[in-house]
Amino acid sequence: MKKYNIGVDLGGTKILCALIEEKTQKILFEVKKKTKKEKGNKKIEAKLLEALDELFSKIDVKKTDIDSIGIAVAGQVDKKNGILVNACNLECSNLELKKTVEEKYNIETYLANDVEAATISELLYGAAKDYKDVLCVFIGTGIGSCIVINGQIYKGATQSAGEFGHIIIDSNGRSCACGAVGCLEAYASRSAIENRIKSSLKSGKKSVISDIADTNNISTKHIKQSLDANDELTKRCVDEAIEYLSNGLASVINFLNPELIVLGGGLIQGIDEIYSKIVKLSKMKALKLPSSKIEFKKAQFGDYSGVLGASLIKNFEKKCQ
Ligand SMILES: [Zn+2]
């Protein structure tokens, strides 16, 4: 029996790849490469192979003991053919990653969207283990989500289901990174909070956040510090995001009637009080019957959910057949 899998998390700013022991799900070795300046098909492909080469040079494991390589990408993926169809933040399109990686290393290779991979890790080993009807929502720079129905990931007619962040909540509202107007993501993501704080500061409002952070670069850590200091402005912007997010989640609870919602991503992992307020408000706002059964849990794998989930794509697909 093969003992290992390789997981790769191909993100907008870094590539993380790791050798993972199948039995324990332990990360034995990892390689991290920055991808900030490299964009476009050729450069991303070269950087990915460089990271994998480095991983192979570090590990003392026979290639024949490695069952699969899984790649999680922040973008639209054709899973069947292993093609990265489109990834805006990597400036890649129609990149045949499965073919390239399989030809070079002669190991079966699988591709999935990063949110889907994170969901797979939570389903098989994390917060959603033993649950069948689940929604996973990851809140950070943007809002990603993945729908699980009867233990299987629901992708829809064009493989794009689960765009919780692009539910339109205000037709005359803020513009969203996707090009539409009034999406939830423009109201409830970390970037949305950051933008609200920035525009309030510009209009002359005061906040301790301008003492602790470069206001062009406000992180979750800065938001937390500012909340801990009882900063009124930060509190107002965060509460506004929580209000919108709980509206969205209550609507989804009513619409899908899941048994579990897993919340993850930087904003959730970084600030406990955001998580507890969202849970309380979402349950309160949802209809009585679906909210009587709903559970909430925090995602378990944090920064490693992408690599872990990627290494599990093959196993998960086998399980779903
Ligand atoms: Zn949008």
Side-chain angles (χ1 to χ4, degrees), residues 165-166 176-180 183 185:
H166 302 282
C176 177
C178 75
C183 295
E185 187 171 290

Side-chain angles (χ1 to χ4, degrees), residues 6-10 15-18 48 52 69-73 306-307 310-311:
I6 287 175
V8 181
D9 187 354
L10 184 51
I15 297 177
L16 181 62
C17 54
L48 170 72
L52 281 169
I69 297 176
I71 306 171
V73 201
V307 270
S311 78

Side-chain angles (χ1 to χ4, degrees), residues 122-157:
E122 296 298 337
L123 268 176
L124 293 184
Y125 292 98
K129 203 170 168 251
D130 304 323
Y131 289 82
K132 286 194 163 331
D133 295 319
V134 183
L135 179 74
C136 289
V137 181
F138 299 89
I139 306 148
T141 319
I143 298 179
S145 88
C146 186
I147 304 166
V148 179
I149 294 175
N150 199 19
Q152 305 227 10
I153 289 175
Y154 175 77
K155 294 300 287 179

Side-chain angles (χ1 to χ4, degrees), residues 22-91:
E22 179 137 354
K23 211 160 81 187
T24 59
Q25 289 304 303
K26 252 196 193 150
I27 292 178
L28 303 176
F29 291 94
E30 63 177 81
V31 168
K32 203 186 271 182
K33 295 250 172 239
K34 287 205 166 129
T35 53
K36 262 193 172 148
K37 285 179 206 138
E38 286 86 355
K39 302 275 172 191
N41 281 9
K42 278 209 172 120
K43 284 184 179 166
I44 292 295
E45 189 180 280
K47 202 78 186 174
L48 170 72
L49 297 178
E50 191 188 318
L52 281 169
D53 280 345
E54 197 178 317
L55 184 73
F56 278 113
S57 74
K58 274 188 169 183
I59 58 181
D60 189 20
V61 160
K62 274 188 260 159
K63 268 192 191 154
T64 47
D65 278 337
I66 298 172
D67 191 30
S68 72
I69 297 176
I71 306 171
V73 201
Q76 209 193 332
V77 163
D78 171 355
K79 277 175 81 179
K80 204 171 145 228
N81 299 304
I83 296 170
L84 173 56
V85 178
N86 187 29
C88 312
N89 55 0
L90 299 170
E91 290 169 25

